[in-house]
Amino acid sequence: MDYNNIDIEHQLHEVTKTLPENVTLVAISKYHHPDLIMQAYNAGQRVFGESREQEMTRKHDELPTDIQWHFIGHLQTNKVRYIAPYVSLIHSVDSLKLLKEIDKQGKKFERIIHVLLEAHVAAEETKSGLTPSEMTQLLEEGTWRALSNVHIDGIMGMATNTDDQQRIEKDFESLRLLYQQIKQRFFASDEDFKTLSMGMSADYRLALKHDTTMVRVGTAIFGPRQY
Ligand SMILES: *Cc1c(COP(=O)(O)O)cnc(C)c1O
């Protein structure tokens, strides 16, 4: 096996000790061997994130059943059915079509599937997600209210991939404001709308300054990915 030479328990602790109690750590294990996931698991970590549905399902089938699996990658509607039976949170909902399919699969498996709407605020054109106005439009349109087997828990976003800390903080602040606006306008009476997922290895400390409630950290725990 081509393992990274890295003390995962130590790295995990280095991250968790900086997080306030109300912030959830999603350990992003995409492309990493299940043995590395087990090292983090044995150190107490239970929430893991993956970006490809086949890989996540394989790991889900093989690893302990009390792991909460979060899906963070681009999700095609025809792939929802594979993760619907067990996924704990889908971070990357970027269309009404996808939301409807998740609801449909939730019905089929008799569960409510929790999701985040993915926001696009970063400078890169390639980044996926809904612009703030697209997200507001989707919610204004109202179809989502009738979808009883999918629940919108909050929003997810990424900052621009840059060394410019001011730019990164500006993006996190845009995400925080969008989250607050949407919460007030559409989810004021929904206590379960409470998740603002932002911050990765390089920038989660900055995200903490802008009230993130969920950080998605891979490299800082597991080392570099071997693609
Ligand atoms: C891969 C990935 C992460 C983790 O990135 P690191 O830099 O390894 O911490 C977080 N969020 C998303 C959406 C990702 O695709």
Side-chain angles (χ1 to χ4, degrees):
M1 283 306 137
D2 198 8
Y3 292 164
N4 298 322
N5 185 16
I6 185 167
D7 182 346
I8 287 175
E9 181 171 3
H10 174 77
Q11 294 297 117
L12 183 66
H13 181 67
E14 289 298 302
V15 176
T16 51
K17 75 181 186 191
T18 66
L19 301 179
E21 239 175 71
N22 68 316
V23 174
T24 302
L25 169 64
V26 186
I28 304 301
S29 50
K30 63 190 186 195
Y31 296 93
H32 289 300
H33 193 277
D35 287 358
L36 300 191
I37 299 177
M38 279 312 294
Q39 287 179 36
Y41 180 90
N42 289 329
Q45 182 66 22
R46 290 294 179 273
V47 185
F48 293 89
E50 292 281 336
S51 61
R52 300 181 299 175
E53 92 293 329
Q54 270 191 340
E55 179 179 351
M56 184 165 84
T57 299
R58 219 184 324 115
K59 288 172 173 172
H60 164 264
D61 291 347
E62 172 175 343
L63 293 169
T65 53
D66 63 341
I67 289 180
Q68 295 163 43
W69 292 102
H70 287 203
F71 192 81
I72 60 162
H74 180 69
L75 185 57
Q76 288 171 272
T77 47
N78 62 348
K79 300 290 167 60
V80 174
R81 71 179 89 170
Y82 301 115
I83 64 171
Y86 68 89
V87 68
S88 167
L89 183 65
I90 298 173
H91 288 232
S92 43
V93 172
D94 60 359
S95 71
L96 181 59
K97 183 175 167 228
L98 182 56
L99 197 64
K100 283 175 164 169
E101 177 63 20
I102 295 168
D103 178 63
K104 187 174 144 195
Q105 297 300 328
K107 278 197 176 62
K108 198 161 101 197
F109 293 102
E110 297 180 319
R111 61 190 299 254
I112 294 172
I113 300 177
H114 293 263
V115 304
L116 306 176
L117 298 177
E118 182 176 351
H120 175 104
V121 299
E124 292 97 334
E125 282 185 12
T126 50
K127 289 243 160 100
S128 49
L130 300 157
T131 64
S133 74
E134 286 168 346
M135 193 178 288
T136 306
Q137 272 170 36
L138 186 156
L139 292 166
E140 262 174 357
E141 187 266 350
T143 302
W144 63 277
R145 291 184 190 276
L147 306 177
S148 52
N149 289 73
V150 64
H151 185 270
I152 300 170
D153 286 15
I155 75 173
M156 181 273 253
M158 274 180 258
T160 305
N161 184 10
T162 171
D163 291 332
D164 178 355
Q165 300 220 343
Q166 279 184 345
R167 173 70 217 210
I168 294 170
E169 287 208 39
K170 189 171 158 280
D171 291 344
F172 285 149
E173 186 57 17
S174 303
L175 289 166
R176 188 186 73 80
L177 287 171
L178 178 64
Y179 170 74
Q180 288 300 343
Q181 282 163 11
I182 284 176
K183 188 174 172 65
Q184 265 170 32
R185 201 162 150 203
F186 301 100
F187 296 92
S189 57
D190 184 349
E191 284 174 11
D192 294 324
F193 187 92
K194 57 178 183 331
T195 302
L196 174 56
S197 167
M198 60 183 196
M200 319 186 359
S201 292
D203 58 19
Y204 74 89
R205 289 176 201 81
L206 295 175
L208 293 174
K209 290 166 65 179
H210 298 270
D211 300 343
T212 181
T213 71
M214 190 172 273
V215 293
R216 309 177 309 269
V217 179
T219 309
I221 297 169
F222 297 107
R225 287 178 280 276
Q226 271 129 25
Y227 294 107

